[in-house]
Amino acid sequence: MAMTSRLVFLIAFLVASSCTTEAMKKKKVTNIQFYMHDIVSGPNPTAVKVAGQLTNSTSSNWIASTFGSIYVIDDPLTATPQMNSTLMGRAQGIYAMASQQDEFSLLMTITYGFVSGRYNGSSFSVVGRNPVMNEVREMPIVGGTGIFRLASGYCLAHTYSMNEMDAVIGYNATLIHY
Ligand SMILES: *[C@@H]1O[C@H](CO)[C@@H](O)[C@H](O)[C@H]1NC(C)=O
Ligand SMILES: *[C@@H]1O[C@H](CO)[C@@H](O)[C@H](O)[C@H]1NC(C)=O
Ligand SMILES: *[C@@H]1O[C@H](CO)[C@@H](O)[C@H](O)[C@H]1NC(C)=O
Ligand SMILES: *[C@@H]1O[C@H](CO)[C@@H](O)[C@H](O)[C@H]1NC(C)=O
């Protein structure tokens, strides 16, 4: 009996002290900038269309004709807009053309994983609406791994350059994490 209650006390103490250390850790704010290269054309695309409605060339509404298309991406993330600059990471995931009218927009479900520098091995994930024709698009960061475990935050994306459907997108990500 005495043994059991001592054990219960010990477990309660360990739980309480681990909670305290978690709570005592201060949250950090990290800002990261990079450029994402989304290449649809040519022999080495980084974004491939995997689903969509049969396009109807007679349709006059371009947004409606793209509605339902799904792309899987593995886009390089670089330090400057030049493709040959330092590779910081890769954006892997799915975007879907989720708008029927008015404003062309994507649903982004993408993990941004880092492969060099101080964030090497860590990642964060974005889920959100991306009205790509807007100058700046804000998307929520819903979590992360490694340094960014338990992260929340947001990113601001703007189109740096566009060539047909190939785009270079500048990202400013703000993460709050332990
Ligand atoms: C394409 O649009 C035309 C005119 O709206 C329609 O008659 C035709 O059935 C459509 N074709 C397909 C494959 O949806
Ligand atoms: C990177 O590519 C640009 C052209 O896009 C070129 O001018 C530059 O020399 C290249 N830099 C390196 C380090 O290869
Ligand atoms: C990133 O981390 C991996 C795994 O720890 C390591 O193999 C690799 O050399 C690192 N890359 C850079 C550029 O630091
Ligand atoms: C981040 O935001 C600043 C301020 O708006 C801007 O000057 C910079 O180009 C952005 N960075 C990227 C990678 O888009």
Side-chain angles (χ1 to χ4, degrees):
M1 188 60 193
M3 190 68 175
T4 314
S5 59
R6 235 178 291 165
L7 192 62
V8 168
F9 179 77
L10 181 64
I11 290 167
F13 174 77
L14 287 174
V15 168
S17 58
S18 72
C19 288
T20 311
T21 46
E22 268 311 302
M24 269 161 43
K25 277 191 202 166
K26 278 196 69 182
K27 285 197 172 182
K28 300 185 195 88
V29 179
T30 300
N31 289 98
I32 311 175
Q33 294 189 34
F34 53 80
Y35 292 85
M36 175 170 125
H37 302 261
D38 194 59
I39 300 154
V40 180
S41 69
N44 299 307
T46 64
V48 294
K49 186 175 171 179
V50 297
Q53 55 177 325
L54 293 171
T55 49
N56 188 340
S57 57
T58 62
S59 173
S60 59
N61 186 335
W62 177 73
I63 295 175
S65 73
T66 62
F67 176 59
S69 297
I70 297 175
Y71 286 75
V72 174
I73 69 162
D74 184 355
D75 288 355
L77 309 175
T78 58
T80 79
Q82 272 64 52
M83 178 69 121
N84 57 9
S85 61
T86 305
L87 182 72
M88 292 176 64
R90 309 196 72 85
Q92 298 181 335
I94 294 170
Y95 59 71
M97 294 178 181
S99 165
Q100 292 204 74
Q101 55 194 355
D102 301 334
E103 191 176 51
F104 181 62
S105 78
L106 307 178
L107 165 67
M108 311 281 280
T109 51
I110 295 174
T111 296
Y112 298 75
F114 295 93
V115 299
S116 70
R118 54 213 271 233
Y119 314 120
N120 188 7
S122 298
S123 73
F124 66 79
S125 296
V126 165
V127 176
R129 183 172 181 271
N130 183 3
V132 291
M133 296 308 180
N134 290 0
E135 177 69 23
V136 178
R137 291 88 69 180
E138 178 180 344
M139 290 169 278
I141 293 171
V142 297
T145 65
I147 293 173
F148 303 126
R149 187 180 288 176
L150 294 175
S152 58
Y154 64 96
C155 50
L156 300 175
H158 77 272
T159 303
Y160 174 83
S161 66
M162 186 95 184
N163 182 10
E164 303 280 318
M165 286 289 280
D166 299 343
V168 179
I169 313 292
Y171 271 79
N172 270 292
T174 301
L175 295 114
I176 298 172
H177 58 99
Y178 287 106

